[in-house]
Structure formats: structure tokens, C-alpha cells
Amino acid sequence: MEKVCYIFGAGDLYEENITIPDNAFVIAADAGIYQTKALGIPVDLVLGDFDSGSIADAGENAIVFPPEKDYTDTFLAVQYGFDRGIRNFEIFACLGGNRLSHSIANIQMLSYFAKRGCKINLHGKNEIIFALYNSPDITGKEKETVSFDENYTGYISVFALDGDVKGLTVTGLKYQLEEKTLESDFPLGVSNEFCGEKSNISFSSGMLLIVCQKQQKK
């Protein structure tokens, strides 16, 4: 099983219970240590500039960064996992909170790491946000595709995150597209809906941001 990194920030935590796989690496970013403590989740590492959390609360496994830095604590946490070969990330409590700028930075961060082959799920209150990237000259793939089975329900939206997304094809959802260009300054892909059949979203090039409603566990 491929290793997964779980990262907890200091934003709004909407989950009351989170199951951590046995082989997961868990990082608390700064005051994210209070989120993991509240959930009773042991961490492998705490890192950040500790402008919102206490180094004393972080314990022995802590990495301290200066507050004058170019990277957010969440970005540093993902980079730490990336440098150790991890490519799959689940990020909690990194949206909402008192600083909208950090939520925007974390969404923007998805683009940076998608270009480096990472899959990051950014967990919000009722939604999961992730980004997919394709450039045939770089990835060697004619299309990038994500599929959802017929059990998915609710809303799903797609946005062009970094320039235009070309060759966008959507099948199996309420609103369908074929080989369209999704522009970064026009929200054509907002509020589509699952409708009880297998669906596919594919595109030939660009950075596609997907906002998908969380699914209730049966």
C-alpha cells in the first residue's frame, strides 16, 4: 500500500472522527497540534514557525522555522512528505479559520504539487478539493481523467486553476461537455450534479481544480 501523509492545520476542523491508516505519516502544522490532540491522533512530526502554537506543546519531534519565510506551514508540511517520497496527502483543518489568505494559499498550493505528481485532498466542511494536471509533453498522457461511480451524490464543480483547461469533456453528470476550453476567468463548471450513473471528467491540458461534495459513509 502506498504511503499517505495526513496533515492537520489550525483552521476549522469539521470531522469528529478521522481514521488514520497504519502506514500513514502524520504531521501537525503549527497549532494543528491542538487538532490532533483533540482527536486523540498521535503525530510523527510537528513543524512550523509557532506563531499560533506553542513549541512546548509540540513535544520532542518538532521542526521550528523562522516566521520570516516564503512558505506557509502547510506548504512546508507537504514539502516534508514529498521530499521523503510521499505523493498522496490528506489535509484537514486548512480551510476556514480567521485568515482567508491561508485558505487561498492552500488551494493555490494544490497546483504546485499537482505539477509534481502529487494527489492532495483538501478537506473542507462538506467538500473535498483537489487538483489534476496534464501537459502531454511533460506527462506523456493524451488525457487526464478522473472517474466517479454511480453511488456518488450531490454537487461537483470544476475550475481552471492556472490558465485555461483545454479539451474538457464531462460525461455522466447532469451537465455534460465535449472538448471544451474552460477559462480561468469564467466559472462555467460550477455546480454540476451527480445523477446516479458512472461519470468521467477528462481534459487534455491545464490545471483542473475539482470541488466535490463529501460522500456519506454507508
Side-chain angles (χ1 to χ4, degrees):
M1 182 182 296
E2 191 170 355
K3 198 174 186 66
V4 181
C5 182
Y6 279 66
I7 296 171
F8 292 83
D12 292 331
L13 180 65
Y14 304 104
E15 289 80 4
E16 296 181 357
N17 296 288
I18 299 174
T19 301
I20 307 294
D22 291 338
N23 72 328
F25 191 86
V26 181
I27 301 176
D30 204 321
I33 187 61
Y34 303 121
Q35 308 283 23
T36 56
K37 285 180 180 293
L39 293 169
I41 296 173
V43 301
D44 296 292
L45 177 69
V46 184
L47 59 73
D49 55 19
F50 294 95
D51 62 342
S52 55
S54 169
I55 297 176
D57 292 330
E60 297 180 356
N61 296 327
I63 299 177
V64 181
F65 291 88
E68 296 82 11
K69 61 187 190 306
D70 294 331
Y71 306 97
T72 65
D73 293 332
T74 306
F75 190 105
L76 290 169
V78 176
Q79 187 67 57
Y80 185 95
F82 180 85
D83 290 343
R84 283 147 187 82
I86 300 175
R87 297 297 179 265
N88 292 306
F89 298 83
E90 303 288 340
I91 302 182
F92 295 86
C94 285
L95 295 171
N98 296 321
R99 298 173 69 180
L100 175 62
S101 59
H102 277 250
S103 295
I104 295 173
N106 289 331
I107 293 172
Q108 188 179 50
M109 176 190 68
L110 299 178
S111 175
Y112 180 91
F113 284 103
K115 290 178 180 178
R116 288 152 181 81
C118 293
K119 173 64 183 298
I120 300 176
N121 286 325
L122 188 59
H123 293 256
K125 184 175 183 179
N126 297 310
E127 298 165 320
I128 293 177
I129 306 172
F130 62 96
L132 298 174
Y133 170 72
N134 194 52
S135 175
D137 292 341
I138 297 174
T139 64
K141 295 189 293 184
E142 182 179 349
K143 290 271 189 176
E144 178 63 75
T145 303
V146 60
S147 299
F148 303 89
D149 65 35
E150 62 276 7
N151 296 316
Y152 271 77
T153 60
Y155 292 99
I156 181 171
S157 299
V158 296
F159 303 93
L161 184 59
D162 181 13
D164 295 345
V165 171
K166 297 183 178 180
L168 179 64
T169 298
V170 177
T171 61
L173 296 177
K174 182 176 181 179
Y175 305 106
Q176 305 194 33
L177 293 172
E178 184 174 357
E179 294 293 328
K180 297 294 185 180
T181 295
L182 186 64
E183 299 175 344
S184 59
D185 60 356
F186 188 77
L188 176 66
V190 72
S191 295
N192 210 331
E193 296 180 46
F194 294 106
C195 51
E197 58 183 278
K198 184 176 180 180
S199 53
N200 293 282
I201 300 172
S202 65
F203 61 99
S204 57
S205 65
M207 181 70 64
L208 188 69
L209 183 73
I210 298 177
V211 182
C212 177
Q213 192 165 333
K214 285 187 178 180
Q215 304 301 300
Q216 298 296 323
K217 294 182 179 180
K218 297 181 179 181

